[in-house]
Amino acid sequence: MLRLDPRHTALVMIDLQNWIVGRPVAPHSGGDVIERSLRIGKALRKAGGTVILVRVAFSDGYGDVVKVPVDAPLILPEDKMPPEAVAFDARINPSKADVVITKRQWSAFHGTELDLQLRRRGIDTVIISGIATNFGVEATARDAFANNYAAIVAEDATSSMTAEMHRFSIDHVLPRVARIRSSAVIIDALKEAMKD
C-alpha cells in the first residue's frame, strides 16, 4: 500500500511541451500522459501538495546545448527552437503550477534550482510523470534518489519513443531508484491521506 504525506510531496511533470508530446510515443499516448499527470496534480493540489512543471529549452544559437560527440545526437532546428514548439501543451496552464523549472539536460535537477525549491518547501517525496520515460523521467528519478528524495514514477503517466524503451526503464532501471505505481494508485493514496 502506498502512503503519502501530500504536504511533503511534489509532482514533477517532465517536458510536456508541444515538440515532445507531439511525437509518436508508446505505450501511452502523449494525450494520456498529460491527462493522467493533470489528474495526479489536481488530487495532490487538493490534498495540499506542490505541482512543478519542467520544460527543456535552449538559448538562441544553442550556446547552452551539450556539444560532446555521441552516436545519436539531438537534432534541433537551425539557430533556435520555435516558441510554439517549446510551449507547454495547451492543456497545461503554467500559471497554475507552484514552480516552473527550465532545464538544459535530461535531468530536472542538473543545473537547475529544483533541489532548492523542493527543500525550501519541505518536500521529501517526488512523484514523476512525463516524456520520455528512459530519458528525462529516468534521469530525474536517478538524481532524486542521489539527492535523498523518495521518488515515485507514475507508470501510466510516462511514455517513450517505443514501448520497449519504456518497459526496459520501468522494469529494470527505475525500480532501483524509485517506486513504480499507476496514476490510480497514487491518486487513491492522496485521497487516503486527506482522511487522516
Side-chain angles (χ1 to χ4, degrees):
M1 180 173 163
L2 180 64
R3 295 187 61 79
L4 293 170
D5 181 346
R7 296 164 302 158
H8 299 285
T9 302
L11 171 64
V12 180
M13 297 166 56
I14 304 290
D15 300 347
L16 296 178
Q17 300 160 262
N18 292 327
W19 72 296
I20 295 170
V21 173
R23 296 177 178 183
V25 294
H28 311 292
S29 73
D32 286 345
V33 169
I34 288 170
E35 287 176 30
R36 292 172 184 145
S37 296
L38 290 174
R39 274 191 238 136
I40 295 168
K42 183 177 180 182
L44 182 58
R45 268 315 225 351
K46 188 174 181 181
T50 302
V51 175
I52 298 175
L53 291 176
V54 177
R55 64 179 165 214
V56 61
F58 305 110
S59 62
D60 292 355
Y62 302 119
D64 49 4
V65 172
V66 175
K67 296 174 185 72
V68 295
V70 295
D71 288 334
L74 177 64
I75 306 299
L76 296 168
E78 192 172 328
D79 191 44
K80 68 178 181 177
M81 293 290 294
E84 63 276 6
V86 295
F88 286 107
D89 181 275
R91 291 164 280 195
I92 296 171
N93 183 347
S95 68
K96 292 192 175 181
D98 296 294
V99 179
V100 177
I101 297 288
T102 300
K103 67 185 178 82
R104 289 165 178 81
Q105 312 286 333
W106 287 351
S107 172
F109 283 94
H110 186 87
T112 75
E113 64 174 13
L114 179 58
D115 183 56
L116 174 71
Q117 292 295 340
L118 293 170
R119 292 190 192 283
R120 287 195 174 168
R121 288 168 170 77
I123 304 297
D124 58 22
T125 301
V126 291
I127 301 164
I128 306 170
S129 70
I131 300 171
T133 313
N134 57 315
F135 294 108
V137 170
E138 182 179 308
T140 301
R142 286 172 179 252
D143 281 353
F145 176 80
N147 283 290
N148 206 37
Y149 292 98
I152 301 162
V153 174
E155 186 280 331
D156 58 346
T158 63
S159 207
S160 191
M161 285 66 220
T162 68
E164 292 77 18
M165 292 169 87
H166 171 83
R167 285 270 40 110
F168 187 85
S169 186
I170 290 292
D171 293 341
H172 301 289
V173 179
L174 286 167
R176 301 294 305 224
V177 296
R179 291 171 285 172
I180 314 302
R181 301 293 185 272
S182 69
S183 57
V185 166
I186 294 167
I187 291 167
D188 284 348
L190 293 168
K191 287 178 181 173
E192 271 304 308
M194 289 178 66
K195 294 178 185 175
D196 294 342

